[in-house]
Amino acid sequence: MFEIPKNVLSIISTLESAGHEAFIVGGCVRDVIRGVTPKDWDITTSAVPSQVKGLFSRTFDTGIKHGTVSVLLGGDCFEVTTYRVDGEYLDSRRPSEVTFAGEIEKDLSRRDFTVNAIAYSPTRGFVDPFDGQVDIKKGIIRCVGDAEKRFGEDALRMLRAIRFAAVLEFSVNNAALHAITKLRESLANISAERIREELVKLLCGKNLDALKLLEKTGLMYFVLQKRVNHGDLEESISRLKTLAKTNADENMKIALFLYWTGDNCKNILRDLRFDNKTIKTVSIYVENIFAELPQNRYEIKKFLKEISPEFFLNLIELKKVTNPALEIKKIHEEVHDILEKKECFTLRELAVNGDDLAAVGIPRGKETGEALEKLLDAVMREPSLNVKEKLLCL
Ligand code: ATP
Ligand code: MG
């Protein structure tokens, strides 16, 4: 059997001792069955939020409207959610209301996929009305109930199905794939942020062939915020697979994926509401995947100025994946040498600032910035110039 953390067991037994039912549920049950350690442990209970709050000394309201109370125990935080059913769905994204349900089976029936609709408690064992355990064994993503109905209620589930296929290395059953193809346009009702989160998880998954399902079902167009993928997806997938074998981070994967969409990646990133730092880093990766490597120390510093050393080294790794013949050892050494010698490549490290320039009569404003940039450029070429007296003479 699998091990459940003692704090989780303690929450379940506290609820049970007070006469309620309580189970671990959803992703954590799925993961323990797969032999994977869950990221977090979700608990579902027949107790209503006020009862849950009465039983534990440290709680806070996380999603009280949805029946979720967070219980703090031994430094960890666990979400305890009352059995619920969702009301009518409006515009394929959110239920108009949620109501608490009396039975665990009802709560399980509102969940998206059979593999996510299993509950377990040490005293009651598994509750698995939709044969989720069988689907986990077979490696299949199947909707709870009628696929069209379930995707009609919440369009994000279409993308979740394919994301789970990528992350769990599962396939998606035909009924679900048909329904996705039919309802693909409703993904346009889903916020860009939620689509982004699923896409990033998908790209970090192990079964990257799942990307073909996005294309095949027509979901790709809506994931890319109404853009056609112009690139060669097979090639993109094969590069992503190579990248997945390294310890590449999320941004590198996003870059490699977007490179092959053949569109302006900055616009896609913006439309998907990525933060500015990610947009900048990923765009630099994309722009430079096939660009020439910097040829000398000064050019390397120009990169380091634009993106941090960490991101620059990532870019080099990314280029190595797309071009295995690339010789990157020398450039690695050069970067480390620049860092070790603390050679200046940012305005912050420059030995003069705007005040110093003002003191020698350079008026504040646009000129200050331009002058500082010029001095920085000189210092990047010749590190020994990074001394206040020398710079003020230039
Ligand atoms: P992950 O490992 O990515 O967190 P997860 O299965 O825990 O996967 P969550 O998004 O954290 O996924 O959701 C927790 C559970 O809530 C799911 O396992 C599923 O039972 C249910 N759930 C989440 N989102 C939906 C949805 N859109 N429709 C129906 N059920 C959902
Ligand atoms: Mg989860």
Side-chain angles (χ1 to χ4, degrees):
M1 252 344 245
F2 47 85
E3 241 174 80
I4 301 176
K6 89 179 184 317
N7 289 332
V8 174
L9 291 173
S10 143
I11 293 175
I12 292 179
S13 78
T14 301
L15 286 159
E16 285 184 339
S17 305
H20 307 291
E21 294 171 15
F23 297 86
I24 53 170
V25 72
C28 62
V29 180
R30 178 198 69 217
D31 288 345
V32 287
I33 294 172
R34 291 167 58 232
V36 172
T37 307
K39 286 196 302 283
D40 36 40
W41 297 83
D42 292 327
I43 296 159
T44 185
T45 179
S46 57
V48 296
S50 58
Q51 292 170 322
V52 175
K53 282 161 60 172
L55 286 169
F56 300 95
S57 54
R58 295 170 67 207
T59 67
F60 59 94
D61 297 357
T62 330
I64 206 82
K65 246 179 38 206
H66 298 108
T68 304
V69 173
S70 290
V71 174
L72 286 163
L73 204 62
D76 286 322
C77 180
F78 303 95
E79 294 201 339
V80 179
T81 305
T82 307
Y83 298 162
R84 57 169 231 236
V85 282
D86 298 329
E88 282 298 296
Y89 279 81
L90 304 171
D91 53 30
S92 24
R93 58 198 160 106
R94 71 179 90 83
S96 52
E97 55 179 6
V98 293
T99 19
F100 297 140
E103 303 111 51
I104 178 73
E105 285 80 4
K106 284 227 176 88
D107 181 274
L108 294 174
S109 69
R110 75 166 166 92
R111 294 176 184 268
D112 45 9
F113 307 111
T114 59
V115 299
N116 287 346
I118 311 170
Y120 174 85
S121 106
T123 52
R124 293 164 206 259
F126 285 103
V127 183
D128 181 13
F130 309 105
D131 287 333
Q133 291 171 91
V134 175
D135 285 341
I136 291 175
K137 266 198 203 89
K138 291 190 189 157
I140 294 178
I141 299 297
R142 179 198 313 278
C143 290
V144 168
D146 180 70
E148 263 187 50
K149 177 165 175 279
R150 303 312 308 284
F151 293 144
E153 289 168 354
D154 177 2
L156 187 70
R157 290 174 187 155
M158 300 190 288
L159 189 50
R160 281 173 63 87
I162 295 175
R163 184 263 281 191
F164 281 121
V167 174
L168 308 176
E169 299 179 85
F170 281 17
S171 57
V172 181
N173 85 329
N174 278 332
L177 286 176
H178 276 132
I180 295 173
T181 308
K182 189 166 169 191
L183 300 176
R184 60 186 184 274
E185 286 178 18
S186 59
L187 194 68
N189 294 329
I190 299 296
S191 76
E193 287 83 354
R194 297 180 76 196
I195 291 177
R196 177 193 69 217
E197 281 172 15
E198 294 297 329
L199 174 65
V200 171
K201 285 183 184 171
L202 196 163
L203 292 173
C204 293
K206 287 202 179 117
N207 172 20
L208 290 155
D209 285 313
L211 282 166
K212 285 186 207 158
L213 297 178
L214 284 186
E215 192 79 18
K216 206 174 106 187
T217 54
L219 223 46
M220 184 73 94
Y221 177 76
F222 298 95
V223 169
L224 296 177
Q225 304 294 293
K226 303 200 177 164
R227 287 182 184 84
V228 176
N229 172 34
H230 294 292
D232 179 343
L233 190 64
E234 292 279 349
E235 163 141 39
S236 167
I237 290 172
S238 118
R239 309 266 191 187
L240 280 165
K241 282 180 181 169
T242 313
L243 189 66
K245 292 190 196 121
T246 70
N247 57 357
D249 70 11
E250 217 169 89
N251 288 348
M252 296 161 77
K253 294 174 182 176
I254 298 166
L256 206 46
F257 169 68
L258 290 184
Y259 180 84
W260 269 275
T261 60
D263 213 305
N264 181 330
C265 88
K266 252 198 195 93
N267 291 340
I268 302 182
L269 291 164
R270 259 193 217 110
D271 287 354
L272 284 171
R273 307 271 191 278
F274 277 95
D275 60 276
N276 287 336
K277 191 167 173 225
T278 305
I279 295 177
K280 186 172 169 201
T281 310
V282 173
S283 324
I284 291 180
Y285 289 166
V286 171
E287 282 157 22
N288 289 285
I289 283 180
F290 286 111
E292 277 227 17
L293 274 174
Q295 293 299 312
N296 57 44
R297 213 166 163 98
Y298 167 70
E299 281 180 29
I300 294 175
K301 287 183 204 170
K302 281 207 332 208
F303 263 102
L304 298 180
K305 177 173 181 262
E306 278 304 310
I307 49 174
S308 71
E310 179 203 341
F311 290 151
F312 179 66
L313 292 171
N314 283 347
L315 171 63
I316 306 288
E317 292 300 327
L318 196 54
K319 291 169 76 73
K320 178 85 183 160
V321 167
T322 49
N323 176 8
L326 200 66
E327 203 24 86
I328 60 170
K329 191 162 162 266
K330 217 178 129 257
I331 203 162
H332 256 276
E333 287 170 358
E334 196 113 36
V335 171
H336 287 298
D337 195 53
I338 292 170
L339 296 177
E340 216 160 88
K341 295 196 169 120
K342 295 198 163 57
E343 289 181 17
C344 164
F345 50 81
T346 64
L347 285 176
R348 203 166 10 91
E349 301 159 61
L350 196 65
V352 293
N353 59 25
D355 293 339
D356 300 320
L357 295 189
V360 295
I362 296 176
R364 285 202 176 274
K366 207 172 127 232
E367 283 112 62
T368 320
E370 279 168 9
L372 288 172
E373 285 293 344
K374 251 200 193 134
L375 293 175
L376 176 59
D377 197 72
V379 165
M380 279 160 59
R381 290 175 196 276
E382 182 42 64
S384 69
L385 288 176
N386 199 22
V387 180
K388 199 181 208 171
E389 293 71 35
K390 288 189 189 171
L391 290 175
L392 291 178
C393 294
L394 285 181

